[in-house]
């Protein structure tokens, strides 16, 4: 069994998608939020998963928060730390501690649009394709080796909200898939490139096409 700890800050729909995927060989040891009001905590508890809060407002410095968070994570000795809508920037030491075993989902086709407000930026830039990326976490924000991406078409009528909804539906497909690959030991890191052995998806293996409407 591979142990997973999932970090959230709010709604937790990606965490929910991973839990609902019931990935063989994966055990969700805990869900940890940095906000007591994170709605996803209730879902985790309803599934019998240990749900904890490490409230960042209770720590005087970023380092102190990172240390407390790492202590809580390490209680579970996870094989994989999954950032699922976790909205705190983590310090370099924290990131290095989990290097190669911490992944994130970002709502854009990286390296386009790192940071916040990705859907707005995509519309403003006039791109025809937008999407989501699952990547290993490295000290540079939204910049680590890419594991999976999904693209959606940007329609002329799309708003920030409608685009976010389309992208989120894809996130809920590729994130559980990427976690499954990790759990099955199929991911290989070679410099900044990730290969997936025997990927059983259509297309190129690490690009998930948008399903037909
Ligand atoms: C997702 O769009 C994720 O890509 C981004 O924040 C959002 C979190 O949504 N990092 P949820 O909490 O998983 O519902």
């Amino acid at each position: 069994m591979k142990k997973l700890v999932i970090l959230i800050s709010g709604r937790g729909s990606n965490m929910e998608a991973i839990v609902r995927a019931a990935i063989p060989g994966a055990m969700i040891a805990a869900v940890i939020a940095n906000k007591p009001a994170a709605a996803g905590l209730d879902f985790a508890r309803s599934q019998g998963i240990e749900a904890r809060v490490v409230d960042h407002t209770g720590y005087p410095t970023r380092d102190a928060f990172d240390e407390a968070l790492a202590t809580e994570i390490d209680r579970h000795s996870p094989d994989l730390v999954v950032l699922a809508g976790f909205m705190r920037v983590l310090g370099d030491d924290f990131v290095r501690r989990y290097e190669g075993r911490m992944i994130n989902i970002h709502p854009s086709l990286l390296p386009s649009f790192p940071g916040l407000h990705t859907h707005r930026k995509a519309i403003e830039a006039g791109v025809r394709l937008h999407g989501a990326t699952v990547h290993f976490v490295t000290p540079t924000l939204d910049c680590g080796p890419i594991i999976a991406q999904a693209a959606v078409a940007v329609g002329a009528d799309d708003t920030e909200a409608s685009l976010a909804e389309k992208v989120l539906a894809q996130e809920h497909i590729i994130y559980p898939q990427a976690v499954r690959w990790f759990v099955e030991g199929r991911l290989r890191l070679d410099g900044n490139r990730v290969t997936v052995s025997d990927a059983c998806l259509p297309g190129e293996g690490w690009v998930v096409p948008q399903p037909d409407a």
Side-chain angles (χ1 to χ4, degrees):
M1 269 293 173
K2 293 265 166 47
K3 287 170 135 195
L4 273 52
V5 167
I6 306 180
L7 306 188
I8 64 169
S9 292
R11 180 176 54 184
S13 69
N14 277 291
M15 175 270 296
E16 189 171 332
I18 292 165
V19 171
R20 288 199 193 280
I23 296 165
M27 196 271 253
I28 318 284
V31 170
I32 304 172
N34 66 313
K35 293 184 179 177
L41 290 168
D42 289 338
F43 172 78
R45 290 195 183 105
S46 77
Q47 302 299 301
I49 297 167
E50 186 173 333
R52 295 290 183 121
V53 176
V54 181
D55 185 347
H56 66 273
T57 63
Y59 297 88
T61 62
R62 196 178 286 283
D63 284 353
F65 168 69
D66 283 3
E67 195 55 44
L69 183 60
T71 301
E72 184 58 36
I73 292 171
D74 291 348
R75 281 202 314 116
H76 305 281
S77 310
D79 299 282
L80 179 66
V81 177
V82 179
L83 306 184
F86 187 72
M87 301 304 284
R88 291 296 291 176
V89 174
L90 296 161
D92 288 8
D93 288 347
F94 183 97
V95 171
R96 284 205 192 90
R97 187 180 190 130
Y98 300 106
E99 201 153 9
R101 57 188 181 109
M102 181 158 66
I103 61 177
N104 181 45
I105 189 154
H106 181 75
S108 80
L109 291 173
L110 290 172
S112 291
F113 314 127
L116 298 172
H117 311 301
T118 55
H119 309 304
R120 188 193 309 162
K121 288 176 189 164
I123 289 172
E124 283 170 3
V127 294
R128 300 299 199 260
L129 290 173
H130 184 45
T133 303
V134 179
H135 64 95
F136 282 107
V137 178
T138 55
T140 310
L141 189 70
D142 299 331
C143 207
I146 291 171
I147 301 168
Q149 290 188 308
V152 304
V154 183
D157 298 339
D158 264 317
T159 61
E160 201 176 337
S162 69
L163 198 50
E165 195 180 323
K166 283 200 242 178
V167 170
L168 192 65
Q170 296 299 309
E171 293 182 36
H172 295 166
I173 297 169
I174 62 169
Y175 214 2
Q177 180 66 69
V179 171
R180 186 184 294 260
W181 283 336
F182 184 95
V183 167
E184 291 173 350
R186 296 218 232 151
L187 300 180
R188 292 280 171 276
L189 245 176
D190 181 14
N192 203 38
R193 286 175 63 91
V194 179
T195 51
V196 187
S197 57
D198 304 325
C200 53
L201 281 168
E204 291 296 309
W206 55 86
V207 177
V208 183
Q210 197 179 3
D212 290 337

